[in-house]
């Protein structure tokens, strides 16, 4: 085997290491296959959302934040692939349609990677609930959801399927406000992950085609100058254990079929080699055509979805999907719904902070606020919350008041019924004082 072919074979091995992580057993995030599962309609996505939610269970919080490291690794591999494809074009060689899509839209991918880094501060994912399922342990739940959305759309994200999926998921398991806000960045990360996987396949495909071309060049040269020596070249190729992948076989067949009769020796050897695997040259050619078409569709869909993420109204999405928002809009005074987005967002953040230091969920905290508002002189939750949110001091007073109520109510469950009613009444007065923030009541 000459040095040129040895270099190409080594290059192919390097790409496999980059994709599979060398000798490491690949975990869920290191899977080399594109995110490509059965394609679902919007209705099927809704059904899958419920099924997925029922299968998810949360694990422990904390642990390493792998998303930023994976993003950096994805950026490096995509950049390396683009460099290889650029060199291929400069060398006058052809590239696949999927490769052309990758090259033509690399500027957009770079921009999306920068956006992802900007919106994904260090340790951001540590604040999100994590899955405890086998194969996904430690993965943020919302990232797992994003991977499923990308996989069942072959990289395509559309508003209807997305909304129906998230809504159906929450029929079984309610997502936190932070998770809803994280959906766009997690979708962006999942799309970049998908592009990385396709780019890795494009790179490996390119390396295998280059290897096939190197053998074909050597064989055609020998066939023209010294046909009897061709058997030695074919023997060298056989000893090198060349890949039997669709890319290698299809390219070798393209170069050798219909050429010098002497070259049929190499094709005959490849036919026998594939027969040992119950394959034929024609099957591998068709498989390569199918894979190239599939990769082109996946890249095109993923690029289109990255553009979509920038045009989607995520504020409206979060408010539409948020269980906390739906609860607060039940304000008996009907004031909350008339506020602007920024003000409503303040209330939702207050609910998040309270729930974070309470055994109650965010929805339960919002419901408790409504309950207290109704019981205190019939006033709406917004009037009380506005006073609680007009300064940091009052926010802290509100949090402490509700926190004390939660703790005391748990303790009260162990007391006799008359004493329990007395404690609950006293605790509600404390919370109402916290809500009022020390301000005078307006009659």
């Amino acid at each position: 085997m000459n040095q040129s072919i040895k270099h190409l074979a080594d290059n192919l091995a390097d790409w496999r290491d980059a994709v599979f992580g060398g000798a490491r057993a690949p975990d869920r995030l290191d899977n080399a296959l594109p995110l490509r599962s059965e394609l679902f309609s919007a209705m099927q996505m809704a059904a899958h959302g419920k099924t997925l939610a029922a299968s998810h269970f949360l694990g422990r919080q904390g642990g390493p934040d792998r998303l930023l490291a994976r993003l950096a690794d994805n950026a490096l591999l995509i950049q390396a692939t683009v460099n290889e494809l650029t060199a291929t074009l400069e060398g006058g060689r052809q590239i696949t349609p999927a490769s052309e899509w990758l090259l033509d839209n690399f500027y957009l991918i770079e921009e999306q990677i920068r956006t992802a880094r900007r919106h994904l501060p260090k340790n951001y994912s540590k604040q999100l609930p994590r899955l405890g399922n086998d194969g996904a342990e430690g993965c943020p739940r919302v990232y797992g959801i994003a991977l499923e959305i990308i996989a069942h759309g072959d990289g395509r994200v559309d508003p209807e399927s997305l909304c129906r999926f998230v809504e159906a998921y929450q029929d079984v398991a309610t997502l936190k406000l932070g998770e809803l806000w994280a959906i766009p960045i997690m979708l962006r990360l999942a799309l970049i992950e998908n592009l990385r996987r396709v780019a890795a396949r494009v790179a490996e495909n390119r390396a295998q085609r280059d290897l096939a071309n190197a053998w074909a060049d050597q064989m055609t040269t020998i066939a023209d100058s010294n046909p009897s020596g061709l058997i030695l070249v074919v023997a060298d190729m056989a000893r090198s254990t060349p890949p039997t992948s669709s890319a290698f076989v299809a390219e070798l067949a393209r170069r050798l079929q219909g050429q010098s009769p002497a070259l049929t020796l190499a094709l005959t050897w490849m036919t026998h080699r594939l027969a040992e695997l119950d394959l034929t040259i024609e099957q591998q050619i068709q498989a390569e055509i199918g894979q190239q078409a599939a990769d082109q569709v996946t890249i095109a869909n993923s690029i289109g979805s990255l553009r979509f993420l920038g045009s989607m109204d995520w504020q409206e999405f979060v408010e539409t999907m948020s269980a906390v928002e739906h609860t607060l809009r039940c304000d008996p005074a009907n004031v909350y719904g008339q506020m602007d987005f920024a003000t409503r967002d303040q209330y939702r953040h207050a609910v998040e902070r309270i729930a974070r230091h309470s055994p109650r969920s965010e929805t339960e905290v919002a419901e408790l606020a409504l309950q207290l508002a109704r019981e205190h002189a019939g006033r709406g939750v917004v009037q009380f919350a506005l006073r609680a949110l007009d300064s940091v001091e009052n926010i802290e007073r509100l949090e402490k008041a509700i926190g004390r109520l939660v703790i005391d109510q748990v303790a009260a469950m162990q007391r006799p019924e008359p004493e329990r009613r007395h404690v609950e009444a006293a605790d509600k007065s404390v919370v109402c004082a916290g809500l009022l923030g020390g301000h005078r009541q307006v009659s």
Side-chain angles (χ1 to χ4, degrees):
M1 183 189 300
N2 61 35
Q3 288 300 110
S4 175
I5 293 179
K6 185 177 186 304
H7 172 73
L8 289 170
D10 290 343
N11 188 35
L12 178 56
D14 289 342
W15 276 112
R16 284 175 177 157
D17 285 345
V19 174
F20 292 104
R24 292 185 299 112
D27 62 15
R28 186 175 186 276
L29 289 179
D30 282 329
N31 192 330
L33 296 177
L35 300 170
R36 193 180 291 153
S37 299
E38 180 184 356
L39 288 179
F40 284 164
S41 64
M43 184 178 298
Q44 289 173 314
M45 285 296 287
H48 183 58
K50 292 184 178 182
T51 302
L52 185 68
S55 70
H56 277 172
F57 69 89
L58 299 182
R60 62 182 181 83
Q61 293 292 100
D65 184 343
R66 296 190 297 168
L67 295 183
L68 270 175
R70 184 64 176 183
L71 177 62
D73 184 58
N74 290 347
L76 288 174
L77 192 141
I78 292 173
Q79 177 70 69
T81 301
V82 167
N83 292 343
E84 286 286 330
L85 293 175
T86 301
T88 298
L89 285 178
E90 291 174 349
R93 290 171 290 169
Q94 294 181 339
I95 61 175
T96 63
S99 300
E100 292 178 357
W101 266 92
L102 194 63
L103 280 178
D104 291 344
N105 293 279
F106 181 56
Y107 74 95
L108 175 65
I109 298 172
E110 281 189 306
E111 177 185 316
Q112 294 295 324
I113 290 173
R114 287 193 296 269
T115 300
R117 284 172 172 156
R118 187 166 62 250
H119 293 170
L120 188 68
K122 186 177 180 181
N123 298 326
Y124 171 77
S125 68
K126 288 186 176 181
Q127 303 172 21
L128 301 171
R130 297 188 175 208
L131 294 173
N133 301 66
D134 289 341
E137 190 172 1
C139 172
R141 174 170 62 175
V142 67
Y143 184 60
I145 289 172
L147 291 175
E148 288 291 317
I149 292 171
I150 301 305
H152 288 285
D154 195 10
R156 183 173 180 269
V157 181
D158 68 87
E160 182 184 2
S161 293
L162 174 62
C163 291
R164 293 184 70 167
F165 180 90
V166 174
E167 187 176 23
Y169 188 100
Q170 293 195 106
D171 286 343
V172 178
T174 302
L175 297 174
K176 291 187 175 184
L177 277 164
E179 291 180 289
L180 291 173
W181 281 116
I183 284 177
I185 184 60
M186 293 301 163
L187 284 173
R188 182 173 281 109
L189 291 176
L191 287 167
I192 293 171
E193 171 72 24
N194 205 27
L195 286 168
R196 175 235 204 249
R197 296 182 184 201
V198 179
R201 292 228 307 195
V202 165
E204 185 172 9
N205 178 288
R206 179 72 263 160
Q208 291 178 351
R209 288 161 66 91
D210 286 346
L211 185 59
N213 275 309
W215 281 115
D217 288 342
Q218 190 171 345
M219 289 177 189
T220 53
T221 299
I222 293 294
D224 291 338
S225 62
N226 181 24
S228 62
L230 185 60
I231 190 172
L232 298 177
V233 179
V234 174
D236 285 343
M237 183 177 73
R239 281 194 294 270
S240 72
T241 315
T244 54
S245 66
S246 60
F248 181 87
V249 173
E251 187 65 14
L252 188 67
R254 184 187 72 83
R255 290 290 310 277
L256 301 184
Q257 283 178 342
Q259 303 300 316
S260 169
L263 294 174
T264 57
L265 178 63
L267 292 175
T268 300
W269 178 86
M270 181 58 70
T271 298
H272 289 305
R273 177 72 182 89
L274 290 173
E276 296 173 0
L277 305 173
D278 292 326
L279 294 171
T280 66
I281 289 178
E282 184 58 33
Q283 285 176 333
Q284 290 299 76
I285 291 174
Q286 292 303 316
E288 179 62 14
I289 292 172
Q291 179 175 310
Q292 287 188 22
D295 288 347
Q296 181 182 1
V297 170
T298 298
I299 290 182
N301 285 346
S302 298
I303 294 296
S305 295
L306 286 173
R307 289 194 172 98
F308 158 75
L309 294 181
S311 62
M312 176 82 167
D313 186 343
W314 293 107
Q315 293 182 350
E316 180 182 356
F317 171 82
V318 170
E319 289 201 320
T320 302
M321 295 293 116
S322 170
V324 169
E325 177 69 13
H326 294 168
T327 301
L328 294 180
R329 281 183 180 269
C330 294
D331 165 27
N334 198 30
V335 176
Y336 177 84
Q338 300 177 34
M339 294 181 171
D340 61 24
F341 177 85
T343 306
R344 292 194 301 272
D345 204 35
Q346 284 185 304
Y347 294 99
R348 292 190 293 265
H349 282 310
V351 170
E352 281 186 287
R353 286 194 297 271
I354 295 167
R356 196 176 299 130
H357 301 95
S358 161
R360 294 179 182 267
S361 69
E362 293 174 350
T363 306
E364 289 172 335
V365 169
E367 290 171 347
L368 177 59
L370 280 179
Q371 174 190 338
L372 295 173
R374 291 191 186 101
E375 292 178 359
H376 191 83
R379 296 186 178 277
V381 66
V382 174
Q383 288 175 287
F384 292 104
L386 182 60
R387 288 170 177 168
L389 289 166
D390 64 359
S391 71
V392 174
E393 178 184 355
N394 286 330
I395 291 175
E396 293 175 350
R397 184 182 294 116
L398 172 63
E399 294 177 359
K400 290 177 181 177
I402 292 186
R404 177 178 168 185
L405 172 65
V406 171
I407 293 171
D408 288 351
Q409 281 187 338
V410 172
M413 294 301 294
Q414 309 299 323
R415 295 175 176 155
E417 183 65 26
E419 185 178 350
R420 187 187 308 169
R421 286 198 299 269
H422 174 74
V423 170
E424 288 176 351
D427 283 340
K428 287 176 181 177
S429 297
V430 170
V431 173
C432 289
L435 287 166
L436 288 170
H439 290 279
R440 178 179 57 85
Q441 268 190 261
V442 180
S443 58

